[in-house]
Amino acid sequence: MNGAQALLRTLVDGGVDVCFANPGTSEMHFVAALDAVPEMRAVLSLFEGTVTGAADGYGRMADRPAATLLHLGPGMANGLANLHNARRAHTPMINVIGDHARYHKGFDAPLESDIDALTGWLHGWSRTSKASEEIGADAAAAIAAAMQPPGQLANLVLPADVSWSDGGVVGEQVEPVAAQPVEDDRVAEIAKIVRSGEPVVLLLGHGTTREQGLRAASRIAVATGVKLFAETFPARIERGAGLPTIERLGYLAEQVQWQLSETKHLVLVGAKSPVSFFAYPGKPSELVPDGCQVHVLSVLGEDGTGALEHLADLVAADARPVLQEATRPGVPSGALTPQNWTEVIGALLPDGAIVSDEANTSGLMIPMTTAGAPRHDVLTLTGGAIGQGLPVAVGAAVAAPDRPVVCLQADGSAMYTASALWTMAREGLDVTTVLLNNRAYAILRMELSRVGATEAGPRAQQLLDLSGPDLDFVSMSNGMGVPASRATTAEELADQFAKALAEPGPHLIEAMVPPLL
Amino acid sequence: MNGAQALLRTLVDGGVDVCFANPGTSEMHFVAALDAVPEMRAVLSLFEGTVTGAADGYGRMADRPAATLLHLGPGMANGLANLHNARRAHTPMINVIGDHARYHKGFDAPLESDIDALTGWLHGWSRTSKASEEIGADAAAAIAAAMQPPGQLANLVLPADVSWSDGGVVGEQVEPVAAQPVEDDRVAEIAKIVRSGEPVVLLLGHGTTREQGLRAASRIAVATGVKLFAETFPARIERGAGLPTIERLGYLAEQVQWQLSETKHLVLVGAKSPVSFFAYPGKPSELVPDGCQVHVLSVLGEDGTGALEHLADLVAADARPVLQEATRPGVPSGALTPQNWTEVIGALLPDGAIVSDEANTSGLMIPMTTAGAPRHDVLTLTGGAIGQGLPVAVGAAVAAPDRPVVCLQADGSAMYTASALWTMAREGLDVTTVLLNNRAYAILRMELSRVGATEAGPRAQQLLDLSGPDLDFVSMSNGMGVPASRATTAEELADQFAKALAEPGPHLIEAMVPPLL
């Protein structure tokens, strides 16, 4: 058994049986080992941004890591932006980064680079495997690291000679660490605060925006009158009819300030204290109102959901959560607008959908129009690095093959990782992409004035304009094997969306939506 | 004058008047300053891999830097792979990396990351600007750093508050450093070696594969019988009728060993001693034959071309260079093959063309079939990070608007940075892309057996196969505004290639070429 085979066998034994891959020469023994370890499903992508984004989507839905296979430092570099998003999402993931044979490193061959600098940038767990005898144990350690609450990136550098050398030993699985329970004292302290009668906000962060946490939080709100918010960009939030509906903090600092105004106590549940996404001249970075105290119910790595349930038992023993009623907008008509396309989605979103949401400015109304749709999960752009939506949809579809995946994707961001469409076609994934084409970096038009760049003229505006030439996503999608159509009216979008959902496999609908601003 | 305006004004004053850009919120004041400093041409790309690759192509052809504008760490991350190639090409380039306002850094906002880790990965010059009063001087220092022989990446981190704050001061230009002349003694020593009568190879590296260096090297070869080779992947090599033809070292270790067999003295002229691109089990990393001594005529940063001329004056005072005769293959006929498509290019390559070559395995015969074509420049994949060809073509076309650019682009690699086509259309660049579609990672099929991965079976092979679904580059290209056609025979390719060259603006021809193996 060579090192690569030991690695794959250990991964599969540990429940890691999907690998999103874009290999090169130094990874050929890993590739060859796929025939020796057929339980591992390898999913090819044409660009590493899709590889890593797909593993992120997979981890968010499966609650266990997928592996990635990346070609040396430059291949990893191509995947970094979506690894940044995955890091912010605390997604469990194992990145297998192929490297030159150890004895070859010193020769500074063309693809040589300092991989440790890149893994360092990600702040995750990292190890370079030293021998084929050790790679199995390294892989087991990587699985445990990835699964360590709240979840993280585990980067395993695999030198080619470790991969090809005989002597591989399958690693013994490491018992995973459970999330730390929150101490009773802390829960009791927070109980006093939520009962204080002063304005309190509970801010729900990682892991607490799923059914169990939402129900507990809703009970607390019912019993005590505290307000609930979810963090701005949750890795995964469960919502829809039958679940408590929770509003997310806004993207814009002004929205957050409005949402938190008058708050005297902000209680963090696995969330960070809210800060502005960007800095703006003369505006604060911290968004906690003056005079508001910040408290912590749970930090990352602690069992925030358990803490919410404990708190609910203390302060809301008899309360029942407020559950969202089933209610949908009607199918609208007329030319597409930033509002009515979201009503189409709200009207037709299928039961059990997974929504990969990178609609950006076009999607501002989506939370409202889908609130009463059948139960669904939403995966958001956690780290702000655009080009996440299509890859995350790939991974979610691989993780949950029985659920329909809906990708709401802005045009500018789509162009970062558009080749994810090809992987959808290749794997026959049931993903319906609604591509919002507003022919602009619309968010930057808004930001240009928000940062006070009042001196901007036509040359600046030109740099935010995606027309000239117009991008034709129907052609591009067809070119990558995903059947596509174009909608300019709400009726067309509804018709095409319903048909796409009814058919298996991937579809793309280019929705010609004017910019919000 | 704010910091951004001082930055742009300093760049323009220093001859840096092109900026390839993909901005975000933190770069909005830089964008706004484009109206205040209209001499700066901003070229928008839809992905940072195109931004950085284009700046690489520009720098190689212009011999002075373009600027890039990148959005924080994640935006820079997306551009890293082509920056790696540019680093290996020693291309002068100035990367302006926007960052959060300095006071915002500590809040760990979603897009926050350790930019220094990324600039460190690139081994170039780096500086974070501290104040709007200093950004002008920082920019001047960046220009000088980028131009320092042999050329390098200069990374200038621009915090948003430095960009937007008043008090900007235009920087005083810094006198550029010239390449160091090579000492007479060293030239004299090498003169002895080339006259020794023993088998000598001169290996021409960075900067010496242009007319002046080639002519000197050819004189030396004529007078002394030494063999000449260029390094495997030159940043830029001038060739064609009227210039000395020089063979490049091969990509495969076996080729290099064959090319260097019997050599007793290897003389490096701004080149590195040859090493294998990858490690292979049981094969050496170093490719210098046993018993061959390695000598250095010039190192990077020294004037290698001057040293060659000096050497020629010593050992070949009366010799004249051997110049390539004008000779072209005839236009072939029949279904496209890995050979005949290169004959089409050789038959029709226009005078003064710039060839961006990322044809990979499909392009093996290109050096032979174009050797006697009219004079042209070839830009190659210096760092091995694929996805360079289309972006480098963009930059070359911006740098040399009067010259036809021909991009020879393999399919798998094209999918890394395909959106470069949109920038070609937007800017009306005269680039003719021949997209070699062999529906495979053909190079990896070859490498799979070369690394001895004999256990590979159908599951491994599947991961190297780009069919299912077939990529349709005509559709994709049309979708990005570049008129496209498909050729399946040599006649069709010749017809379409000639027409594309005759028309201004970008064109793409998808050439359906079977894999080499």
Short mmCIF file of all heavy atoms in Angstrom, two decimals, chain A residues 1-19 29-42 170, chain B residues 455-457 459-460:
data_model
loop_
_atom_site.label_atom_id
_atom_site.label_comp_id
_atom_site.label_asym_id
_atom_site.label_seq_id
_atom_site.Cartn_x
_atom_site.Cartn_y
_atom_site.Cartn_z
N MET A 1 0.86 -1.20 0.00
CA MET A 1 0.00 0.00 0.00
C MET A 1 0.89 1.24 0.00
O MET A 1 1.75 1.39 0.86
CB MET A 1 -0.89 -0.01 1.25
CG MET A 1 -1.81 1.20 1.36
SD MET A 1 -2.89 1.15 2.84
CE MET A 1 -4.02 -0.18 2.43
N ASN A 2 0.67 2.13 -0.97
CA ASN A 2 1.49 3.34 -0.96
C ASN A 2 0.81 4.42 -0.10
O ASN A 2 -0.29 4.23 0.44
CB ASN A 2 1.79 3.82 -2.38
CG ASN A 2 0.54 4.27 -3.13
OD1 ASN A 2 -0.48 4.61 -2.53
ND2 ASN A 2 0.62 4.28 -4.46
N GLY A 3 1.50 5.54 0.02
CA GLY A 3 0.98 6.59 0.88
C GLY A 3 -0.38 7.09 0.45
O GLY A 3 -1.27 7.33 1.28
N ALA A 4 -0.56 7.27 -0.86
CA ALA A 4 -1.84 7.78 -1.35
C ALA A 4 -2.99 6.85 -1.00
O ALA A 4 -4.08 7.29 -0.61
CB ALA A 4 -1.76 7.98 -2.87
N GLN A 5 -2.72 5.54 -1.15
CA GLN A 5 -3.78 4.58 -0.82
C GLN A 5 -4.10 4.61 0.68
O GLN A 5 -5.27 4.56 1.08
CB GLN A 5 -3.36 3.18 -1.27
CG GLN A 5 -3.34 3.06 -2.80
CD GLN A 5 -2.54 1.87 -3.30
OE1 GLN A 5 -1.76 1.28 -2.56
NE2 GLN A 5 -2.75 1.52 -4.57
N ALA A 6 -3.08 4.71 1.50
CA ALA A 6 -3.32 4.80 2.94
C ALA A 6 -4.11 6.05 3.29
O ALA A 6 -5.00 6.03 4.15
CB ALA A 6 -1.98 4.79 3.68
N LEU A 7 -3.79 7.13 2.60
CA LEU A 7 -4.51 8.39 2.83
C LEU A 7 -5.98 8.24 2.48
O LEU A 7 -6.87 8.57 3.28
CB LEU A 7 -3.86 9.50 1.99
CG LEU A 7 -4.61 10.82 1.86
CD1 LEU A 7 -4.90 11.44 3.22
CD2 LEU A 7 -3.81 11.81 1.01
N LEU A 8 -6.24 7.73 1.28
CA LEU A 8 -7.64 7.61 0.85
C LEU A 8 -8.41 6.63 1.75
O LEU A 8 -9.56 6.88 2.11
CB LEU A 8 -7.69 7.13 -0.60
CG LEU A 8 -7.40 8.21 -1.64
CD1 LEU A 8 -7.50 7.64 -3.05
CD2 LEU A 8 -8.37 9.37 -1.50
N ARG A 9 -7.76 5.53 2.10
CA ARG A 9 -8.44 4.55 2.95
C ARG A 9 -8.78 5.16 4.30
O ARG A 9 -9.88 4.97 4.82
CB ARG A 9 -7.54 3.30 3.08
CG ARG A 9 -8.01 2.22 4.01
CD ARG A 9 -9.41 1.71 3.71
NE ARG A 9 -9.56 1.17 2.36
CZ ARG A 9 -10.75 1.00 1.77
NH1 ARG A 9 -11.88 1.33 2.38
NH2 ARG A 9 -10.81 0.52 0.53
N THR A 10 -7.85 5.92 4.86
CA THR A 10 -8.10 6.55 6.16
C THR A 10 -9.24 7.57 6.07
O THR A 10 -10.11 7.63 6.94
CB THR A 10 -6.82 7.24 6.68
OG1 THR A 10 -5.75 6.31 6.66
CG2 THR A 10 -7.02 7.77 8.10
N LEU A 11 -9.24 8.34 5.01
CA LEU A 11 -10.31 9.33 4.83
C LEU A 11 -11.67 8.63 4.76
O LEU A 11 -12.62 9.03 5.44
CB LEU A 11 -10.06 10.17 3.57
CG LEU A 11 -8.89 11.16 3.63
CD1 LEU A 11 -8.68 11.83 2.27
CD2 LEU A 11 -9.12 12.23 4.71
N VAL A 12 -11.73 7.61 3.92
CA VAL A 12 -13.01 6.91 3.75
C VAL A 12 -13.45 6.27 5.06
O VAL A 12 -14.63 6.36 5.44
CB VAL A 12 -12.87 5.88 2.61
CG1 VAL A 12 -14.00 4.88 2.65
CG2 VAL A 12 -12.82 6.60 1.26
N ASP A 13 -12.50 5.65 5.76
CA ASP A 13 -12.84 5.05 7.06
C ASP A 13 -13.40 6.10 8.03
O ASP A 13 -14.22 5.78 8.89
CB ASP A 13 -11.60 4.40 7.71
CG ASP A 13 -11.21 3.10 7.02
OD1 ASP A 13 -11.95 2.65 6.12
OD2 ASP A 13 -10.16 2.54 7.38
N GLY A 14 -12.93 7.33 7.87
CA GLY A 14 -13.38 8.40 8.76
C GLY A 14 -14.59 9.14 8.24
O GLY A 14 -14.93 10.22 8.76
N GLY A 15 -15.23 8.60 7.23
CA GLY A 15 -16.47 9.20 6.73
C GLY A 15 -16.25 10.29 5.70
O GLY A 15 -17.21 10.96 5.30
N VAL A 16 -15.03 10.47 5.28
CA VAL A 16 -14.75 11.49 4.25
C VAL A 16 -14.69 10.77 2.92
O VAL A 16 -13.64 10.24 2.53
CB VAL A 16 -13.43 12.23 4.55
CG1 VAL A 16 -13.17 13.31 3.50
CG2 VAL A 16 -13.46 12.82 5.95
N ASP A 17 -15.81 10.72 2.22
CA ASP A 17 -15.88 9.89 1.02
C ASP A 17 -16.21 10.68 -0.23
O ASP A 17 -16.62 10.12 -1.25
CB ASP A 17 -16.88 8.73 1.24
CG ASP A 17 -18.25 9.23 1.64
OD1 ASP A 17 -18.46 10.46 1.63
OD2 ASP A 17 -19.10 8.39 1.98
N VAL A 18 -16.01 11.98 -0.17
CA VAL A 18 -16.13 12.83 -1.35
C VAL A 18 -14.88 13.69 -1.43
O VAL A 18 -14.45 14.26 -0.43
CB VAL A 18 -17.38 13.74 -1.29
CG1 VAL A 18 -17.34 14.79 -2.40
CG2 VAL A 18 -18.65 12.91 -1.37
N CYS A 19 -14.31 13.76 -2.63
CA CYS A 19 -13.14 14.60 -2.85
C CYS A 19 -13.38 15.48 -4.08
O CYS A 19 -13.54 14.96 -5.19
CB CYS A 19 -11.89 13.75 -3.04
SG CYS A 19 -10.42 14.74 -3.38
N HIS A 29 -0.51 10.01 -8.08
CA HIS A 29 -0.68 8.79 -7.30
C HIS A 29 -1.94 8.83 -6.44
O HIS A 29 -2.56 7.80 -6.19
CB HIS A 29 0.57 8.49 -6.46
CG HIS A 29 1.69 7.96 -7.29
ND1 HIS A 29 2.55 8.78 -7.98
CD2 HIS A 29 2.06 6.69 -7.59
CE1 HIS A 29 3.41 8.05 -8.66
NE2 HIS A 29 3.14 6.78 -8.44
N PHE A 30 -2.30 10.02 -6.02
CA PHE A 30 -3.60 10.17 -5.33
C PHE A 30 -4.70 9.80 -6.31
O PHE A 30 -5.63 9.04 -5.98
CB PHE A 30 -3.75 11.62 -4.85
CG PHE A 30 -4.99 11.89 -4.03
CD1 PHE A 30 -4.90 12.16 -2.67
CD2 PHE A 30 -6.25 11.91 -4.62
CE1 PHE A 30 -6.04 12.43 -1.91
CE2 PHE A 30 -7.39 12.19 -3.86
CZ PHE A 30 -7.29 12.45 -2.52
N VAL A 31 -4.61 10.31 -7.53
CA VAL A 31 -5.63 10.01 -8.54
C VAL A 31 -5.67 8.50 -8.82
O VAL A 31 -6.74 7.89 -8.88
CB VAL A 31 -5.35 10.81 -9.83
CG1 VAL A 31 -6.25 10.36 -10.97
CG2 VAL A 31 -5.54 12.31 -9.57
N ALA A 32 -4.49 7.93 -8.99
CA ALA A 32 -4.44 6.49 -9.28
C ALA A 32 -5.06 5.67 -8.13
O ALA A 32 -5.68 4.63 -8.37
CB ALA A 32 -2.99 6.06 -9.52
N ALA A 33 -4.91 6.15 -6.91
CA ALA A 33 -5.42 5.41 -5.75
C ALA A 33 -6.95 5.37 -5.71
O ALA A 33 -7.54 4.57 -4.96
CB ALA A 33 -4.87 6.02 -4.46
N LEU A 34 -7.59 6.22 -6.51
CA LEU A 34 -9.07 6.19 -6.54
C LEU A 34 -9.59 4.84 -7.00
O LEU A 34 -10.70 4.44 -6.65
CB LEU A 34 -9.59 7.30 -7.48
CG LEU A 34 -9.39 8.72 -6.98
CD1 LEU A 34 -9.69 9.71 -8.10
CD2 LEU A 34 -10.28 9.00 -5.77
N ASP A 35 -8.80 4.14 -7.80
CA ASP A 35 -9.25 2.81 -8.24
C ASP A 35 -9.07 1.77 -7.13
O ASP A 35 -9.80 0.79 -7.08
CB ASP A 35 -8.50 2.41 -9.51
CG ASP A 35 -9.01 3.21 -10.70
OD1 ASP A 35 -10.11 2.88 -11.20
OD2 ASP A 35 -8.35 4.16 -11.11
N ALA A 36 -8.10 2.01 -6.26
CA ALA A 36 -7.89 1.08 -5.14
C ALA A 36 -8.89 1.33 -4.01
O ALA A 36 -9.17 0.42 -3.23
CB ALA A 36 -6.46 1.21 -4.61
N VAL A 37 -9.40 2.53 -3.90
CA VAL A 37 -10.33 2.89 -2.82
C VAL A 37 -11.61 3.44 -3.46
O VAL A 37 -11.87 4.64 -3.45
CB VAL A 37 -9.71 3.91 -1.86
CG1 VAL A 37 -10.62 4.15 -0.65
CG2 VAL A 37 -8.33 3.46 -1.38
N PRO A 38 -12.41 2.55 -4.04
CA PRO A 38 -13.55 3.02 -4.84
C PRO A 38 -14.65 3.68 -4.01
O PRO A 38 -15.55 4.31 -4.58
CB PRO A 38 -14.06 1.75 -5.52
CG PRO A 38 -13.53 0.62 -4.70
CD PRO A 38 -12.26 1.10 -4.09
N GLU A 39 -14.59 3.57 -2.69
CA GLU A 39 -15.61 4.25 -1.87
C GLU A 39 -15.45 5.76 -1.95
O GLU A 39 -16.37 6.50 -1.57
CB GLU A 39 -15.50 3.83 -0.40
CG GLU A 39 -15.70 2.35 -0.15
CD GLU A 39 -14.37 1.59 -0.14
OE1 GLU A 39 -13.45 1.95 -0.93
OE2 GLU A 39 -14.26 0.63 0.64
N MET A 40 -14.29 6.24 -2.34
CA MET A 40 -14.08 7.68 -2.45
C MET A 40 -14.65 8.17 -3.78
O MET A 40 -14.25 7.70 -4.85
CB MET A 40 -12.59 8.03 -2.37
CG MET A 40 -12.26 9.51 -2.53
SD MET A 40 -12.95 10.56 -1.22
CE MET A 40 -11.66 10.40 0.03
N ARG A 41 -15.58 9.11 -3.71
CA ARG A 41 -16.13 9.72 -4.92
C ARG A 41 -15.30 10.97 -5.25
O ARG A 41 -15.22 11.89 -4.44
CB ARG A 41 -17.59 10.12 -4.69
CG ARG A 41 -18.19 10.88 -5.86
CD ARG A 41 -19.65 11.21 -5.58
NE ARG A 41 -20.25 11.98 -6.65
CZ ARG A 41 -21.46 12.52 -6.59
NH1 ARG A 41 -22.20 12.34 -5.50
NH2 ARG A 41 -21.95 13.20 -7.61
N ALA A 42 -14.72 10.97 -6.42
CA ALA A 42 -13.94 12.14 -6.85
C ALA A 42 -14.78 12.97 -7.81
O ALA A 42 -15.35 12.44 -8.77
CB ALA A 42 -12.65 11.70 -7.52
N VAL A 170 -2.79 2.57 7.19
CA VAL A 170 -4.08 3.23 7.41
C VAL A 170 -4.10 3.79 8.82
O VAL A 170 -3.70 3.12 9.78
CB VAL A 170 -5.23 2.23 7.20
CG1 VAL A 170 -6.57 2.89 7.50
CG2 VAL A 170 -5.20 1.70 5.77
N GLU B 455 -1.08 1.68 -11.17
CA GLU B 455 -2.30 1.10 -10.62
C GLU B 455 -3.54 1.90 -11.05
O GLU B 455 -4.65 1.56 -10.67
CB GLU B 455 -2.20 1.02 -9.09
CG GLU B 455 -2.22 2.35 -8.34
CD GLU B 455 -0.88 3.09 -8.32
OE1 GLU B 455 -0.03 2.81 -9.20
OE2 GLU B 455 -0.69 3.96 -7.46
N ALA B 456 -3.36 2.95 -11.83
CA ALA B 456 -4.50 3.78 -12.25
C ALA B 456 -5.44 3.00 -13.14
O ALA B 456 -5.02 2.29 -14.05
CB ALA B 456 -3.99 5.02 -12.99
N GLY B 457 -6.73 3.13 -12.87
CA GLY B 457 -7.74 2.46 -13.66
C GLY B 457 -8.74 3.46 -14.19
O GLY B 457 -8.45 4.65 -14.30
N ARG B 459 -11.34 4.87 -12.93
CA ARG B 459 -11.73 5.99 -12.08
C ARG B 459 -10.68 7.09 -12.12
O ARG B 459 -11.02 8.29 -12.07
CB ARG B 459 -11.98 5.51 -10.64
CG ARG B 459 -13.25 4.65 -10.52
CD ARG B 459 -13.33 3.92 -9.18
NE ARG B 459 -13.15 4.81 -8.04
CZ ARG B 459 -14.11 5.54 -7.48
NH1 ARG B 459 -15.34 5.50 -7.97
NH2 ARG B 459 -13.86 6.30 -6.46
N ALA B 460 -9.45 6.72 -12.20
CA ALA B 460 -8.39 7.71 -12.34
C ALA B 460 -8.48 8.40 -13.70
O ALA B 460 -8.42 9.63 -13.81
CB ALA B 460 -7.02 7.05 -12.17
#
